[in-house]
Amino acid sequence: MPKKKKRKEFQALKGMRDLLPPDTAWWDKLIKTGEDLARDFGFQKIETPVIEDAELFIRGTGATTDIVSKQMYFIKTAGGTSLALRPEGTPGVVRAYMENGLASLPQPIKLFYFGPMFRHEQPQAGRWRQFYQFGLEVFGDSGAVLDAQIIQFCFNLFKAVGLKKINIHINSLGCPQCRPAYRRVLLDYYRYRKDRVCPDCKRRLKENPLRLLDCKEEKCQPIKSQAPASVDHLCDECRKHFKEVLEFLDELEIPYFLNSALVRGLDYYTKTIFEIFWEEEGLAPGALGGGGRYDNLVKELGGKPTPAVGVALGLDRIVALMKKEEVKVGSEPNFKVFLVQLGLMGKKKSLKLFEKLHQAGILAAESLSRDSIKAQMKIADKLGVKFALILGQQEALDGTVIIRDMQSGVQETVPQEKVVEELKKRFRK
Ligand code: AMP
């Protein structure tokens, strides 16, 4: 007899996972707090598709970045079009801004988004292939005050979800006027030391010299620490802009750390860049979020020159920290009554009664899948509700319900249409 083929057991793909209760309570708290705060700061929500033309990221995020060259999920359609699962949010939002005429509305346009991003990375702590970002983008204003407002938002959000020990690292990468000169200085510095750097840095020297400062290899650190800093090579405008950002942060009493090795892994940044870290090193793998100004991206992608600034926060890592720090999240709903049902007739009527109570704003717990009165009363007791509502065969026929005071055990039968009124009377006592 041929051997029966074992049925396949499905599993989530490597680096991807389900978000399950009770963890989803932390997720909900973080997202709700973020959305409320973003609205308070004058941002409006935008949602863009998770699949875009691959070219959008190749030109936007940058062809030589790790995100695009190593980690992006490409999809080939039957017609041969090259699509990509978005590895980050900004290029899609820029496309939407251009495509939907947002540029012709009064500026600035302040948008926020939340959603999954995809990067084919080696999964490890805090690194997933599907992960979630909450981001802000501001279009149409070059003022340093907006850079500061975005950082202020992040600072407030972390505080609001109970994470106070964050560090903000900040740097300025200059603009197309001053960056080429800095790039030359950096190249000169590294060229003399190229025999002493790692193979990755040798490649960076050719492809993307700014990323040399991003190297985590032990042997490159002494060279990196002495490397020329971009802030020492800014043009007057960029220097003034960066000084203003820092002055706004000082005014807000938001602590920051000037990190001349900060470059960010994306190509489009100009002027201010920043990343947010957890204070206790080792407790959080990598940054919790990062952002900066990208004054040339809209133009690069085919729009009119439009200054812009934004941030993307890594929700997976933030939720992990909220758990670790045992941040309190919304507890169980505050049930006021427990609905006990007996027999088919009782069960039939109980859903309707549940609906009635819900509409009246009386939170009712139930255990519709249980049939034994004892088991149901036990749960009611555990939940600590004041009253149980008992709906059996007889009550269903009579159109009544029994209200049982859980503490005294006193029971009273009332007509179903009066139950809300009767309960309200008892709650007032
Ligand atoms: P990036 O713009 O690439 O710096 O990403 C912004 C934030 O998203 C990072 O600071 C991380 O918190 C988060 N992030 C990036 N990649 C991943 C990943 N593979 N898994 C989980 N979180 C990530």
Side-chain angles (χ1 to χ4, degrees):
M1 260 218 336
K3 239 175 125 186
K4 211 171 157 199
K5 214 173 144 196
K6 203 173 164 239
R7 283 180 74 163
K8 184 171 178 169
E9 281 178 30
F10 293 106
Q11 285 183 337
L13 300 177
K14 185 173 169 188
M16 306 198 176
R17 88 291 203 197
D18 308 300
L19 306 178
L20 300 168
D23 286 12
T24 35
W26 275 288
W27 283 90
D28 285 349
K29 171 158 176 137
L30 177 56
I31 294 158
K32 174 143 193 343
T33 312
E35 294 202 349
D36 288 349
L37 194 63
R39 288 196 182 90
D40 290 352
F41 273 60
F43 289 79
Q44 288 177 297
K45 188 168 184 171
I46 183 169
E47 265 194 64
T48 63
V50 293
I51 303 178
E52 298 268 4
D53 187 329
E55 184 75 21
L56 179 69
F57 302 105
I58 295 169
R59 272 172 51 197
T61 315
T64 63
T65 60
D66 282 358
I67 294 172
V68 170
S69 68
K70 295 187 189 159
Q71 302 164 350
M72 196 155 80
Y73 282 90
F74 284 90
I75 306 171
K76 270 261 180 280
T77 64
T81 320
S82 200
L83 309 177
L85 282 181
R86 64 179 180 196
E88 57 136 343
T90 304
V93 179
V94 171
R95 179 203 45 71
Y97 172 82
M98 298 186 304
E99 186 179 337
N100 298 292
L102 301 186
S104 49
L105 300 177
Q107 307 290 301
I109 300 283
K110 297 167 79 178
L111 302 170
F112 73 88
Y113 63 84
F114 151 71
M117 307 292 156
F118 305 85
R119 295 184 193 173
H120 194 268
E121 301 197 66
Q122 203 43 43
Q124 49 182 281
R127 209 170 277 284
W128 299 94
R129 289 182 173 175
Q130 175 172 337
F131 61 99
Y132 296 81
Q133 287 187 338
F134 185 98
L136 304 180
E137 314 287 0
V138 181
F139 296 98
D141 196 317
S142 58
V145 66
L146 287 161
D147 306 34
Q149 193 188 34
I150 294 238
I151 295 173
Q152 180 190 24
F153 168 88
C154 298
F155 194 73
N156 283 7
L157 177 59
F158 279 98
K159 212 162 56 177
V161 297
L163 299 175
K164 301 214 175 82
K165 293 182 274 182
I166 58 154
N167 271 332
I168 294 164
H169 289 212
I170 190 165
N171 195 14
S172 175
L173 288 179
C175 66
Q177 267 68 51
C178 51
R179 199 183 303 164
Y182 170 62
R183 209 168 157 269
R184 273 196 301 278
V185 175
L186 191 66
L187 272 173
D188 280 347
Y189 172 84
Y190 267 93
R191 240 180 237 130
Y192 284 110
R193 295 158 180 85
K194 74 168 184 280
D195 297 335
R196 287 190 273 144
V197 296
C198 69
D200 256 351
C201 278
K202 290 202 174 85
R203 182 180 52 81
R204 291 182 181 116
L205 250 166
K206 285 201 201 103
E207 286 178 4
N208 205 336
L210 278 188
R211 207 67 38 78
L212 285 161
L213 301 173
D214 228 3
C215 184
K216 306 280 183 297
E217 273 298 317
E218 195 70 40
K219 76 187 258 196
C220 300
Q221 297 313 304
I223 299 173
K224 195 177 107 173
S225 65
Q226 300 295 316
S230 57
V231 281
D232 296 331
H233 296 83
L234 297 177
C235 61
D236 288 345
E237 191 202 312
C238 287
R239 194 176 314 116
K240 181 167 164 282
H241 194 274
F242 192 45
K243 190 166 160 268
E244 279 176 23
V245 175
L246 301 183
E247 282 167 2
F248 279 119
L249 295 181
D250 290 337
E251 194 67 30
L252 289 166
E253 295 182 31
I254 293 179
Y256 54 84
F257 170 68
L258 287 173
N259 181 351
S260 60
L262 189 68
V263 285
R264 303 273 296 125
L266 308 94
D267 268 2
Y268 46 64
Y269 286 113
T270 50
K271 298 195 170 116
T272 317
I273 52 165
F274 64 92
E275 284 198 349
I276 301 157
F277 293 91
W278 188 241
E279 199 175 70
E280 290 161 61
E281 231 173 279
L283 262 188
L288 301 173
R293 189 158 270 291
Y294 51 95
D295 288 345
N296 297 318
L297 183 60
V298 178
K299 184 162 161 262
E300 291 280 316
L301 290 175
K304 277 196 256 160
T306 309
V309 58
V311 65
L313 300 171
L315 302 190
D316 306 69
R317 295 183 189 175
I318 301 174
V319 166
L321 270 177
M322 287 168 76
K323 273 180 76 176
K324 203 173 292 181
E325 292 291 296
E326 295 176 10
V327 168
K328 287 255 174 315
V329 282
S331 49
E332 288 273 296
N334 192 7
F335 292 117
K336 294 282 189 257
V337 295
F338 189 92
L339 202 51
V340 179
Q341 37 70 38
L342 295 163
L344 190 60
M345 290 282 282
K347 197 173 284 210
K348 263 195 189 149
K349 294 282 175 201
S350 65
L351 266 192
K352 205 161 161 201
L353 184 59
F354 180 88
E355 178 70 28
K356 204 174 184 156
L357 295 166
H358 190 250
Q359 276 177 12
I362 300 172
L363 276 188
E366 42 70 25
S367 184
L368 290 166
S369 54
R370 281 194 176 72
D371 294 329
S372 123
I373 186 164
K374 219 169 129 196
Q376 294 182 67
M377 291 304 284
K378 219 163 137 186
I379 303 172
D381 213 33
K382 225 166 115 190
L383 282 174
V385 292
K386 254 182 126 154
F387 302 103
L389 303 180
I390 305 166
L391 228 173
Q393 194 85 348
Q394 194 58 51
E395 288 74 31
L397 283 173
D398 296 348
T400 57
V401 62
I402 299 170
I403 302 179
R404 178 189 170 91
D405 186 312
M406 291 298 286
Q407 216 162 31
S408 64
V410 174
Q411 299 195 161
E412 194 183 336
T413 305
V414 301
Q416 278 169 24
E417 66 270 13
K418 288 243 169 85
V419 70
V420 167
E421 203 180 303
E422 287 293 328
L423 281 172
K424 283 192 173 160
K425 227 190 296 171
R426 283 166 172 75
F427 284 130
R428 270 199 296 271
K429 273 189 199 154

